[in-house]
Amino acid sequence: ANTMYLEKLRKIRESKMLSQKQLAEMIGLDQSAYSKIENGINQLSVFTLLSIVDALKISVTDILNQKSLILNQPLTYNKKKF
């Protein structure tokens, strides 16, 4: 799996001087649930991703590049036929 974005997420969080617990509280998760996301154990949902970028005051593209959008299953949310 492509987990480069998780590493990027961790670095951005640390650069903002936030612990996992602090960021988790900002987005309404407990620390263990957030830790599992950052460590790649639990999938990152689009909703959680948007909550995280909002809390960190960054954009989705700061964490994800086009390649990771294509390769990551949890982020292929646009397959619905309209």
Side-chain angles (χ1 to χ4, degrees), residues 20-47:
Q20 286 188 346
K21 187 178 195 307
Q22 288 169 312
L23 181 54
E25 284 170 0
M26 290 166 78
I27 63 170
L29 292 178
D30 62 33
Q31 192 265 329
S32 88
Y34 179 80
S35 176
K36 285 176 181 168
I37 290 170
E38 204 173 90
N39 291 308
I41 298 161
N42 287 358
Q43 288 189 342
L44 176 58
S45 72
V46 173
F47 177 78

Side-chain angles (χ1 to χ4, degrees), residues 2-36:
N2 178 17
T3 54
M4 283 292 294
Y5 69 95
L6 296 175
E7 183 63 22
K8 217 180 254 188
L9 178 59
R10 183 182 63 79
K11 285 185 171 144
I12 294 169
R13 175 181 58 74
E14 289 173 349
S15 78
K16 308 249 178 195
M17 304 297 173
L18 289 168
S19 67
Q20 286 188 346
K21 187 178 195 307
Q22 288 169 312
L23 181 54
E25 284 170 0
M26 290 166 78
I27 63 170
L29 292 178
D30 62 33
Q31 192 265 329
S32 88
Y34 179 80
S35 176
K36 285 176 181 168

Side-chain angles (χ1 to χ4, degrees), residues 34-81:
Y34 179 80
S35 176
K36 285 176 181 168
I37 290 170
E38 204 173 90
N39 291 308
I41 298 161
N42 287 358
Q43 288 189 342
L44 176 58
S45 72
V46 173
F47 177 78
T48 303
L49 174 65
L50 295 175
S51 301
I52 291 168
V53 298
D54 189 51
L56 293 175
K57 296 180 172 43
I58 57 173
S59 75
V60 173
T61 52
D62 291 327
I63 295 177
L64 300 173
N65 55 32
Q66 283 307 106
K67 206 172 173 187
S68 61
L69 276 171
I70 294 159
L71 295 177
N72 274 293
Q73 286 309 309
L75 296 167
T76 52
Y77 58 94
N78 52 358
K79 284 189 173 168
K80 286 189 207 125
K81 293 215 162 69

